[in-house]
Amino acid sequence: MGASSWVLRASMDDDLLLPYDHGHGPSHSHRYVRSCQSVLHGNTTYESWPASNHSVQPPSESSVFVTETTGSSRWVYGHMTVVHDPLSTLSVLEPGGPGGCGMNQRATVEETAAAAGCLVAQNAGFFNTNHNWCLGNVVSDGRMVQDSGGIQNAQFGIRRDGTLVFGYLSQEEVLDQSNPFVQLVSGVVWLLRNGEVYINQSLTAECDKTQETGVFRTFVDVSSARTAVGHDEQGRLILFHIDGKTNERGMNLWEVADFLKKNGVINAINLDGGGSSTFVVGGSLSSYPSDQCKPDGRWRCARRVSTILCVHPRRCQPENCSGHGDCVDGLCRCHQGWQGAACASLRCQPPHCGPHGVCSASGCVCDAGWRGDNCSQVCPLGFFGPSCAQECHCDDLCPCDPQTGSCNVTLQEDTNVTLHRAGHCLAKQMFRSWQEADGGHPKQPHLSEQTWAVIVFTLASLLCLSLLLHSLRAHHTSLPTPFPQRQDYSYVPLNNISGTGPPAAGDGIKWGTRRFRLDDSDSQD
């Protein structure tokens, strides 16, 4: 047989296992689901479980099993895959890749898995067999593809924080952005809830009134190929696949639920089955499809399906680490100030910054007039503004308003006290620095106190002696003299000095006690 005949092979879509005659899902509201469930579960219509995060282990481990179904001699063949790090290694993918649901296209699990580099893949959500529409809720790698409008079928999803979710979701819960879904797909029938079979409750919650004993019940009870997804107590995701053919071999949903429970699964939902049930490993088909091939019905061909569950090598979720980190070997390495698997959460969390600041990547951003690690300290003098980052520019280096920077400010009483103390301290420091600059230590007097006392006494004695001499001289000058004209010096008539008088005998003129010679004059003067 030539290679071209292999390329032309396609599934006949002859083994259809449909839960509903028309459309997808019940027409009743989420309120109906909440009110009809057991009182044991209260108002909670879904279960949440923290996912495991074993980053050192391989993304997944698959096992092949052959088992005998309960109460019969039928042997079935299937696969169970354990996903160790669901948040980082599992994705819900549209048929053929992004945009497949919008284009109403279908693709085999092999085609979609090969394009995405899946290590392990299996079919997931249901589709409309006439128009190829993807049915139910679909969120793929954080991107909302479509929502079901609140149709109450069983859901499986992974939230941004890694929480696994199984059960019934309202429209508001599907669209909630506080902790949004990064992966979400719709199944039909909640198989296990908290380790207990939950099929009867699902028949009430998901069945249309016109189908209580019709198609929907048959969908649950018939043996066929099946696909399911669940989790164990450790938070590891469990992918389940079993081969079969409707009404001939395989498992009914009761048997699937019982098998999963015995193998440690806590919560699980049923996915598309029948001829859609497909399992692919390493890009190659590892299951036995039940659909016949066209144009040659002797062979079996994999069906073109809707969404798939893809186990891939670790990659960051989201790929850009929320814009606050770097993706390294599938793990986000967060930038400074950010934390979490997706680097979406600030390390600084309220109320760390108190009433005077807000958290940021760099820590607390304090309001104007406040500073410190938790914004509990007022600005120091000379600074103002947010986190006290600006410097005052007032005349004479005066302080300013710590919030606005205004120089026309009346400081509070405690600030005035601080200023007074600071000025007093500064003055002391200035005087001390001047003294140290002059000699490294305060100046000492050059003379001792005893020396100063001797000097003062001597000066005082000289002053007294001077006063005594002046007194004696004054008393002497007060006595009568032979020269009434002058009493303090000798009187010599001018005519005798000029030589007009009679010359005296000898070399000069003797007058009284002094002798004058001609050459004693002041020459020309």
Side-chain angles (χ1 to χ4, degrees):
M1 184 174 292
S4 60
S5 62
W6 288 97
V7 176
L8 296 175
R9 284 185 174 185
S11 168
M12 290 184 180
D13 292 346
D14 55 324
D15 186 12
L16 293 176
L17 182 61
L18 301 177
Y20 303 101
D21 279 334
H22 57 83
H24 180 65
S27 59
H28 45 250
S29 66
H30 182 260
R31 177 179 295 179
Y32 170 84
V33 174
R34 186 174 63 243
S35 63
C36 72
Q37 72 177 1
S38 170
V39 177
L40 175 66
H41 305 291
N43 290 326
T44 304
T45 59
Y46 61 88
E47 297 295 331
S48 297
W49 201 277
S52 61
N53 182 20
H54 301 297
S55 57
V56 298
Q57 295 184 348
S60 65
E61 295 176 301
S62 295
S63 300
V64 179
F65 65 88
V66 178
T67 185
E68 185 177 13
T69 55
T70 304
S72 70
S73 60
R74 292 179 288 118
W75 293 84
V76 293
Y77 166 85
H79 300 84
M80 284 191 69
T81 302
V82 178
V83 184
H84 298 287
D85 189 3
L87 179 64
S88 300
T89 63
L90 185 121
S91 294
V92 174
L93 300 183
E94 297 179 73
C101 288
M103 293 184 287
N104 298 328
Q105 71 178 24
R106 289 190 290 153
T108 65
V109 176
E110 290 177 274
E111 293 169 339
T112 305
C118 301
L119 304 175
V120 174
Q122 67 182 37
N123 65 294
F126 290 79
F127 60 92
N128 183 290
T129 57
N130 296 321
H131 304 285
N132 297 334
W133 298 333
C134 298
L135 298 177
N137 295 303
V138 179
V139 176
S140 176
D141 291 335
R143 179 174 50 88
M144 173 63 74
V145 175
Q146 66 181 43
D147 68 87
S148 66
I151 291 177
Q152 294 308 304
N153 285 128
Q155 312 287 323
F156 157 67
I158 305 176
R159 293 192 182 274
R160 185 171 62 189
D161 65 355
T163 301
L164 304 177
V165 177
F166 291 83
Y168 303 116
L169 302 170
S170 68
Q171 184 77 345
E172 293 75 16
E173 289 163 342
V174 170
L175 302 177
D176 179 27
Q177 292 301 303
S178 62
N179 184 20
F181 284 99
V182 292
Q183 315 293 342
L184 183 62
V185 69
S186 296
V188 173
V189 180
W190 191 350
L191 299 172
L192 292 174
R193 182 173 188 177
N194 283 336
E196 300 298 330
V197 178
Y198 203 67
I199 295 177
N200 280 327
Q201 294 87 334
S202 295
L203 287 171
T204 302
E206 299 184 49
C207 185
D208 280 336
K209 295 179 180 179
T210 59
Q211 294 181 297
E212 290 182 358
T213 58
V215 175
F216 192 74
R217 184 71 193 216
T218 301
F219 172 81
V220 172
D221 293 338
V222 69
S223 294
S224 184
R226 300 287 185 175
T227 306
V229 59
H231 74 85
D232 63 10
E233 190 173 3
Q234 299 178 44
R236 300 179 301 179
L237 202 66
I238 308 297
L239 304 184
F240 172 86
H241 157 267
I242 193 167
D243 284 325
K245 184 173 177 60
T246 304
N247 289 318
E248 294 183 11
R249 63 182 184 273
M251 288 184 175
N252 60 42
L253 292 186
W254 302 97
E255 292 169 334
V256 172
D258 184 62
F259 182 86
L260 292 174
K261 180 179 177 179
K262 288 180 178 179
N263 284 276
V265 177
I266 304 298
N267 290 287
I269 68 166
N270 174 69
L271 300 173
D272 194 8
S276 297
S277 188
T278 311
F279 188 78
V280 171
V281 177
S284 299
L285 183 64
S286 295
S287 60
Y288 298 94
S290 58
D291 277 354
Q292 293 179 317
C293 295
K294 57 182 180 182
D296 190 345
R298 294 177 300 171
W299 310 100
R300 295 293 180 265
C301 286
R303 177 183 295 175
R304 294 181 298 120
V305 296
S306 178
T307 55
I308 73 168
L309 295 180
C310 167
V311 181
H312 49 73
R314 284 182 177 84
R315 63 188 186 207
C316 298
Q317 186 62 245
E319 293 184 6
N320 68 343
C321 297
S322 306
H324 307 303
D326 300 313
C327 187
V328 180
D329 296 330
L331 297 175
C332 285
R333 297 289 183 261
C334 300
H335 296 160
Q336 183 177 2
W338 294 90
Q339 63 182 356
C343 299
S345 175
L346 286 169
R347 291 187 182 277
C348 175
Q349 293 290 331
H352 176 71
C353 298
H356 303 299
V358 294
C359 285
S360 72
S362 58
C364 291
V365 177
C366 302
D367 296 337
W370 297 89
R371 68 183 183 98
D373 292 338
N374 56 359
C375 300
S376 61
Q377 305 173 29
V378 297
C379 285
L381 296 175
F383 294 88
F384 74 99
S387 298
C388 306
Q390 296 174 269
E391 189 173 356
C392 297
H393 296 287
C394 300
D395 294 339
D396 302 321
L397 299 179
C398 291
C400 62
D401 185 281
Q403 295 182 350
T404 65
S406 173
C407 297
N408 298 322
V409 59
T410 301
L411 299 176
Q412 300 178 355
E413 181 179 356
D414 55 348
T415 304
N416 283 325
V417 173
T418 301
L419 282 174
H420 174 75
R421 296 180 62 185
H424 190 71
C425 174
L426 181 61
K428 285 187 174 182
Q429 292 179 347
M430 289 175 63
F431 284 124
R432 189 179 299 114
S433 65
W434 291 342
Q435 291 174 347
E436 292 175 354
D438 287 340
H441 54 79
K443 282 192 174 183
Q444 299 296 332
H446 294 289
L447 301 176
S448 64
E449 293 182 2
Q450 183 177 4
T451 304
W452 277 110
V454 171
I455 292 173
V456 171
F457 178 76
T458 303
L459 291 176
S461 300
L462 292 174
L463 179 60
C464 292
L465 180 60
S466 175
L467 291 175
L468 178 60
L469 292 175
H470 279 286
S471 299
L472 293 175
R473 185 175 182 182
H475 176 71
H476 175 72
T477 55
S478 63
L479 297 176
T481 65
F483 307 101
Q485 295 88 343
R486 295 283 295 185
Q487 296 181 0
D488 55 346
Y489 57 85
S490 299
Y491 175 76
V492 180
L494 291 177
N495 56 352
N496 291 337
I497 296 174
S498 63
T500 57
D507 294 335
I509 301 174
K510 183 179 182 182
W511 187 265
T513 61
R514 183 175 181 184
R515 183 181 301 274
F516 291 90
R517 296 182 184 273
L518 293 177
D519 56 356
D520 285 339
S521 65
D522 291 331
S523 185
Q524 298 297 324
D525 295 334

